[in-house]
Amino acid sequence: MTDTTQQFFISYAGPDRPWAEWVGWHLQQAGHQVVLDVWEWRAGDDFVHHMDRALERADAVVALFSKSYFDPERWTREEWTATVARRDRIVPLALEPIATADVPPLLAAKLRKDLHGLDETAALTTLREAVNGGARPTSPPPFPGTPPATDPAAVSSGTKPRLPSSTGRPDVWNVRRRNPDFSGREAEIAQLRDGLLSGRQAVVRALHGMGGIGKTQIALEYAHRFAGQYDVVWWIDAEQADQVPVHYTELADRLGIARPDAGSEHNARALLQHLRTEQRWLIILDNAEDPGQTAPWLPEGSGHVVITSRNPDWRGIAHQASLDVFSRPDSVSYLAAHIPGITAEEADLLAGDLGDLPLALAQAVGIIGSGMTLSRYRQLLSTSTARILKEGDAPGYPASLAAAVGIATTGLENECPEAAALLRLGAFFGPDPIPTSWLENARPRLSTIPGDPGDLMWPHAALQPVSRYGLARLDHETFQIHRLTQAVLRDQSGPEQAERIQSDVAAVLSSTDPGNPEAPETWPAWASLTSHLIAHHVVLTNRPELRPILLKAASFLIRSGQSRSAQSLTSPLREVWAAELGPDHPDTLSCMQYFTHATADMGEVAAALPFAEDTLARRRRVLGEDHPDTLHSANDLAATTSRLGRYAEARPMHEETLQRRRRVLGDDHPDTLQSAHNLAVSLDHAMDHVGALHMKEDILRRQRRILGEDHPHTLESARSLAITLNNLGRHEEALPMFEDILRRQRHILGEDHPHSLESAHSLASTLSNNGRYEEACRMHEDTLRRQRLLLGDDHPATLQTTHSLATALNNLGKREEACRMYEDTLRRQQHILGDDHPETLQTAHNLGFALNNLGKREEARRRYEDTLRRQRRTLGEDHPSTLQTAHNLAIALHGLRQYPEAAELLQDARQRLCRTLGEDHVQTLATTETLARTWTDMGRRFAAQRLLAGQRKQAKRRLDRKKKRR
């Protein structure tokens, strides 16, 4: 091509990989350096990072244009929009006819060369011209009618890839028609291709997975996509292993090596001998279920073998690849392409209902496409699962999902009844993995499993056939049945059988106890157990043996930050238990307590309050005032009252609960320390930050000694102490504390636990207090994104972070953006918390500040006046927040030249601040300076000077007193 070495990056879509390999091979043969992802990068690497580096170093990008290349769901869209299209040099090569309108404007103007419709010689010449550019001829061009001479470089060498369009498909080919609806699975096809190219001798790859997962479809797509790279592609239905020699005889006949008078076994062995000497062949053994019978008929040589199987046990025979369901993006993309008008949210919900199973998705498309509404289909999927899974045309699949499960289950029942019984038991658990240790522990209590309860190999021996029939996924500690397979199996069970199986499920779950649900080290085990306890089809509310474990599960869900799941679990339990046990039964009251806690944690604090009040009243009557459970409810009611912003009302409740807990439980009991912490927070709300600081320091010391440095309660107390330091203006001390707390919480609780997110919010606010506004904005934005996903847009914690982000933006001078954010936050807080909640009023105050900064003084004045009126009524006239609003209202009035009104407000605010916070408090000093400035503008300069002089004398006296104390 050229003697000058260049580095090329090849940009292509997954289906065009054969073209990418052909182009890359010839560029490399010409002495160029080539970066092709499938040659350079490994599975698991960061694709975007590698692509960015490759594009930076490349002299040019070779872009392979096709319809797939411009598919908006492809990675290549990111390439051509973000980087490729803006390169100084891009070499576009069209692999198929593309209308100009289909090419994005950034690329439409680029001149491109067509490779489609050419033989290999002409295509190679075109590639050379595209890379090197055209040149004027030095001799007369050949007569157009003369056949082109053979280019030696284009002769097939046995190692280079073929031109993908040169032959279309090999002469020896029996593969059925390509599935036009095939979608996704690019990573799996890439892995299959890489695996088949990984060795010189025959490479055998076994794709295994449950029925309906798309094994055959992947093999079919691979055969069509890479057909041009083989001389022979032969498809064999290998479910009946004894028929493989017959299919080999058919291939031998097509190759002209079969002897009509010889039997199928002789011709099959002749074929295997022949393949040892040949290259470029692909044998696909579809649905091969018996590795032992299949192994003797695997070809050897330089070709490739692909096996599809439900059976996962191909060790020592083939390189195994376990197929899972679609990724959620692939499911959504498939549904969007085949159901006109479906939204991304609707597609996501439907994909979740179907468990991302390719066959189920195809059946759903067939039914919905024939006229059924999406909502009706989802309803039937919930109420008549097995019946709806019998319906729907799924091209490329031999049977519906219900039929496939039925066939496999019948085979399993005939071979191993014990395995079939275990399968039916698993169908009544949740869809998540089931630890085999649970079954080991509960085996003597299971009535639906035949066989010897003392069998040392149970359940492992029974699970092997289940896995072999593709009805469950196994690893060394768990097994998992797809949710739709479970639904079909449950539907096949009669009422009496279902009742017995559910009793066995209850026996398994009740014998599983991971330990203290408040200890983070137990949470992984609790998460596994709880996923089955809260599955919608698992009926456990009326089983007494499960009540203790269900209550512990509720506690785990609350402590691990899963308040919505906790509410979903406890809501039906409290109703059933109240009816069966009575509303005053201890288990009913415990369930009510957890329900109340979960409801409040979800941000529905007003809805939680009557439940907290009712639970406390019942426990006082049944258990007495000082029972630990009663005190727990008293603490919950006080905390709920405080979360409603009724701080003054909550404080004496906290004081009384703390007094009783100290007397009943002792000073160092974790519950006592929790009440002490809540009372200290009440002091903060009352602006007694010094008192709160001393109390919190003592609590934290005790918790570290009793619970340990990293206990969640200890970390929450440490965060609360740092907040008080912030309130006292000691921002530099608070900053490293927040950093340490957040690091510990993320390690112990996870990045998205509500407590971790609250600490991230506190740290960002402290960064802002230290003047690091850019860092604060970035951290607030990340926290806000996580809170919106976890808690929702309208959760009080989310709104608090939104408020803080607006403040940081205002500090950066982005006042219009901050003002809009304050307005949206205020509207949501008014709806969720109420007009008079302290957090609502704080946002209203800051909105007034932002409006005033924008010069909208009249709007600011009205906002301040309404806020001040509400604060005086709810917080009191002497509360620092009330006085801060009065101060800012005076500033707005000053800006409107309403000096007498401003001065009157400032005088009153200053007198109150001197009395409550002292003359040297920062808020008092700021109000004094504003009053002096207002008097000056009113012409009262002497009074203003006298006021400031008095302030300076007061400051000097304080300094002298400090020096004497030293």
Side-chain angles (χ1 to χ4, degrees), residues 541-735:
T541 55
N542 59 347
R543 299 191 178 272
E545 69 271 29
L546 279 171
R547 289 204 295 264
I549 209 72
L550 286 167
L551 291 173
K552 284 187 176 182
S555 176
F556 152 71
L557 290 169
I558 290 168
R559 297 304 178 192
S560 60
Q562 302 177 69
S563 54
R564 190 171 302 279
S565 294
Q567 190 192 54
S568 297
L569 174 64
T570 54
S571 181
L573 290 179
R574 69 182 179 86
E575 294 178 0
V576 173
W577 291 358
E580 291 185 354
L581 307 175
D584 292 340
H585 189 280
D587 288 345
T588 305
L589 292 173
S590 293
C591 186
M592 182 72 78
Q593 171 190 311
Y594 291 132
F595 172 78
T596 303
H597 199 151
T599 302
D601 284 351
M602 288 172 60
E604 300 171 6
V605 186
L609 183 65
F611 293 109
E613 292 171 332
D614 182 60
T615 305
L616 176 59
R618 292 179 183 277
R619 278 181 162 166
R620 279 175 172 165
R621 186 176 68 250
V622 174
L623 303 175
E625 292 273 358
D626 289 339
H627 190 281
D629 288 351
T630 304
L631 294 175
H632 203 141
S633 288
N635 178 77
D636 286 351
L637 178 57
T640 304
T641 303
S642 182
R643 290 169 84 164
L644 286 169
R646 292 152 53 177
Y647 303 139
E649 185 180 346
R651 180 171 174 178
M653 297 167 68
H654 283 307
E655 289 172 337
E656 182 185 359
T657 305
L658 175 60
Q659 180 185 9
R660 291 179 181 275
R661 277 181 159 171
R662 278 176 171 163
R663 186 177 69 251
V664 174
L665 303 173
D667 289 348
D668 289 342
H669 191 280
D671 290 351
T672 304
L673 295 175
Q674 186 63 43
S675 283
H677 171 261
N678 290 344
L679 177 57
V681 172
S682 289
L683 296 178
D684 261 329
H685 289 149
M687 297 299 175
D688 181 6
H689 302 310
V690 174
L693 180 70
H694 295 321
M695 196 168 183
K696 289 180 181 181
E697 287 174 335
D698 178 67
I699 294 164
L700 184 58
R701 232 180 355 259
R702 293 172 185 269
Q703 285 180 322
R704 282 174 171 164
R705 185 181 75 249
I706 295 161
L707 302 175
E709 291 270 355
D710 291 337
H711 192 280
H713 292 345
T714 306
L715 294 173
E716 269 300 283
S717 292
R719 185 178 80 90
S720 186
L721 174 59
I723 288 173
T724 301
L725 289 172
N726 252 344
N727 292 336
L728 289 167
R730 293 159 63 176
H731 307 309
E732 291 184 0
E733 289 179 64
L735 185 62

